[in-house]
Amino acid sequence: SVQAHKEEDNPQKTMEVNGLTPVPDSYDYDLIVIGGGSGGLAAAKEAAKYEKKVMVLDFVTPTPQGNSWGLGGTCVNVGCIPKKLMHQAALLGQALQDSRKFGWQFTEEVKHNWMTMTESVQNYIGSLNWGYRVALRDTKVTYENAYGEFVGPHTIKATNKKGIEKLYTAERFIIATGERPRYLGIPGDKEYCISSDDLFSLPYCPGKTLVVGASYVALECAGFLAGLGLDVTVMVRSILLRGFDQDMANKIGEYMKEHGVNFIREFVPIKVEQVEEGAPGILKVTAKSTTGDQIIEGEYNTVLLAIGRDPCTRKIGLDKVGVHINEKTGKIPVNDEEQTNVPHIYAVGDILQGKLELTPVAIQAGRLLVRRLYAGATSKCDYVNVPTTVFTPLEYGACGYSEETAVEKFGEENIEVYHSHFWPLEWTVPSRDNNKCYAKIICNIQDNERVIGFHVLGPNAGEVTQGFAAAIKCGLTKEQLDSTIGIHPVCAEV
Amino acid sequence: GKNEYDLLVIGGGSGGLACAKEAAQFGRKVAVLDYVEPSPRGTTWGIGGTCVNVGCIPKKLMHQAALLGSALKDAQHYGWNISQPVHHTWSVMAQGVQNYVKSLNWGHRVQLQDKKVKYFNIKGSFSDPHTVRGLTKAGKETIVTADNIVIATGGRPKYPTHVAGALEYGITSDDLFWLKESPGKTPLVSYSYILCLYKIIVYICLTGVSPDVSLECAGFLTGLGLDATVMMRSIPLRGFDQASQISKKNQICFTIQQQMASLVTEHMESYGTKFLKRCFPTKVEKLKSNRLQVTWKNADLNTEETDSFDTVMWAVGRVPDTKTLNLEKVGVKTNSETGKIIVDASEATSVPHIYAVGDITEGRPELTPTAIAAGKLLAQRLFGQSSELMDYDNVPTTVFTPLEYGCVGLSEEAAVQCHGSDNIEVYHAYYKPLEFTVAERDATQCYVKMVCLREREQRILGLHFIGPNAGEVIQGFALGIKCGATYPQLMQTVGIHPTCAEEVTKLRITKRSGLDATVTGC
């Protein structure tokens, strides 16, 4: 029972036994957040609003290449932000080409300077890191750049860069440690390959690049690298964008292929060797077919691994406090109030089992959780119909069911799919592809033709999709869609 | 019957063609008359109406050309090495745009043919409620009779004829998009300054309903490197009270947001467009150098000023194209002030079997998509056993100024007028598009505002957005508003990160609170 549990795991007793100063009856903090990323910071700042004593522990274990970064988590440092900025750089390259058709004239040869771009991007990220430090200070949230792990039910050990350990206690905890890129586990991977953790601050141009993986991270990176003029190859084990609407995933792949990205399908690397040192050097990759015995080799300046991400949950002492994790994936199962199996320990963000790995979801979950804890609110995070966008060269925005999932759940005869190709007006004059942009909506016939899935492939897909997501949340039906006037001429009116 | 056609459409623009093609789907015998009276400068164009030829399409393409100019500047910050000088050649752009427009003209001709709609390139006028006669360009007379007639002749730009020289020396949007050579020749543009060799002035008079075209034109002209000045009689868009057509029947409020208009013009000023506020021209004269000398009165300083320009463009509103239709002959009633045709909710005029759609109709938004929708629905009611009427509420629109402005629903002023300021809540935020950061662009006017009812449900009355890709942002939210979206529902919608549109889902600060509405980081 709870009482027995309390007596057994008495932090005071533990500390006394260890010869450390006994902790007073009250805890050091109301809330300790482990992980200063999107979810963690949002929760911490929210809790401070209710005058709670909050601490955030954030620590970045350097990458195998030795790379590290400041406060803010994946999104700010090695995710959404630098990704979108580099995607923008690539789009601008395309804009340069278009602009000639619109009458702009400049020299034929335009080259891209990786260092100029990366410096600008890193400067901006630095300002965000700084902004977060200031925000925490202003809201009186205690921040420590230290690695947190549980040593007792209400006790965290925080170890900083210099190895100095401190103990802190809190009434409640939120685990928001996020994830890090997975490695292949083959010879040469950690020594010679980089991941998205390294790419956005790479101090030299990656050159001829092999991207291993078919996740959105892989395709987005491959996309902008190609857009910047680099020779890019993507090695895919089986399908593209697993979990996404496959019809759309294939269209994205087709577009990338037609725009200069090479694809090697149904192969996996089995070893990476260094041919020449340098920044970049030359690497030799040996790969094996997944469907037979064929072996191929290739040489690249850079090998970027983007085969998935693993939650940072294995080494934070969860076993000591009895928090269950999925042994296979490392993810933490929570109930619909983000509570783990240990009542006073919660979790938000990418580490959650069965939830979307998105910044806005983590932020929303973190905020609502804190409001429920301290402000008597009851709203739970709504994980249904969360819109997302993949920032590949041809952007893809989606909200709701993929076609496959809709068919699976409702039956093919009960859904209607309306679709259309469209040609953005801005693509006409520069004669860009006229049959690539595409939109489709999936409707549930039995429920008044309610729109249950929205997919669009085209420029500014994110901007287009956001409003549709709001409409879907309001229960949009096909009829309402039809009766809404389009804004002309924009892509969204399709 | 005795009439030759089931439906005759006068005017081959957005509304007219949509109506004609829809009627043809029902197997009806349909004819379309389209004729473009050359502008005073002699500009003319093919089938498709204003939107395709001298409106939305060329406007957006030239706006895009200007945006690409900005992109060239941004690109440097993102690592692209573009060696100077960079300059813009009007004729290359014009040709690209004009070729595309011509392909659309062609496309419409083919579509009409495929759908077996008869097309006459004649200027029609009524001889009786079922008969229209007209002359071809060659002077041949043609008579067409029909059971039903739809007038969709649209409008043409107005000239300020009280200004001496206005007609002889000025151009309008009808001409701008068809100019083969630059309205200001081709100045050299480099990144730090514009060589102000050649100038264009756009005069807009703010009692008109659509100053947008003028601001849009001045905007892209500036973006292309031309020295553009906008002269306006009143303070930006203040004279809009006459244009606030609050129809008691369907609560349509078209007042363009005062605050939003200020932000848009503020941005244009920082972008390089010059503004001469509270000034109105008195005469335009031609100089020996072929430049134009414009004289104007400054209402604030009570002085008379003058300057010379290469081009003077008038954007003082549009007049409905009804003069030569002979409407009086058949008794179709028009609004005495605007000249527009009065229609009811089913697009019917005062004469049975005669209808009107599009810019020509009184009290309707002057937008392509509404004309198209109205035209289609009309055909469906006439021939398809439908009874669905056009819903003019909550029509989203976008102004394609250098910093775009998209909106749907009520303006703040209209909401206050309709519901009272105590009963509405306005949420707002100043934000910075991620792409502006590295490009070091000024985001001072990037702004989003949502007007809601204050009572429990907090239904959204209007949404306003200034920023890049405003049209793309607003479109989806317009759907939400059609579904009766409420503020809580929008707040429950998770944002897409990183986009500008997500700022709408993050609106928390109210105007009422007086708190700083600047968004700071994630």
Side-chain angles (χ1 to χ4, degrees), chain A residues 417-492:
Chain A
V417 181
Y418 296 91
H419 68 152
S420 170
H421 279 100
F422 62 97
W423 198 21
L425 181 62
E426 294 78 5
W427 289 22
T428 57
V429 168
S431 305
R432 284 171 65 181
D433 316 80
N434 68 347
N435 63 343
K436 289 291 180 293
C437 295
Y438 179 76
K440 82 177 168 189
I441 57 160
I442 304 165
C443 303
N444 183 349
I445 299 176
Q446 293 179 316
D447 180 20
N448 225 351
E449 271 212 305
R450 197 160 312 275
V451 177
I452 57 173
F454 168 86
H455 304 263
V456 67
L457 199 60
N460 303 303
E463 309 293 1
V464 172
T465 303
Q466 181 71 85
F468 282 88
I472 288 178
K473 182 125 302 208
C474 301
L476 179 73
T477 62
K478 178 69 168 51
E479 195 186 331
Q480 286 169 317
L481 188 96
D482 286 344
S483 70
T484 302
I485 300 295
I487 298 173
H488 183 71
V490 299
C491 295

Side-chain angles (χ1 to χ4, degrees), chain A residues 187-206:
Chain A
D189 67 351
K190 290 215 167 99
E191 295 95 295
Y192 306 121
C193 301
I194 63 166
S195 72
S196 56
D197 278 359
D198 309 292
L199 181 65
F200 302 113
S201 55
L202 208 60
Y204 53 83
C205 179

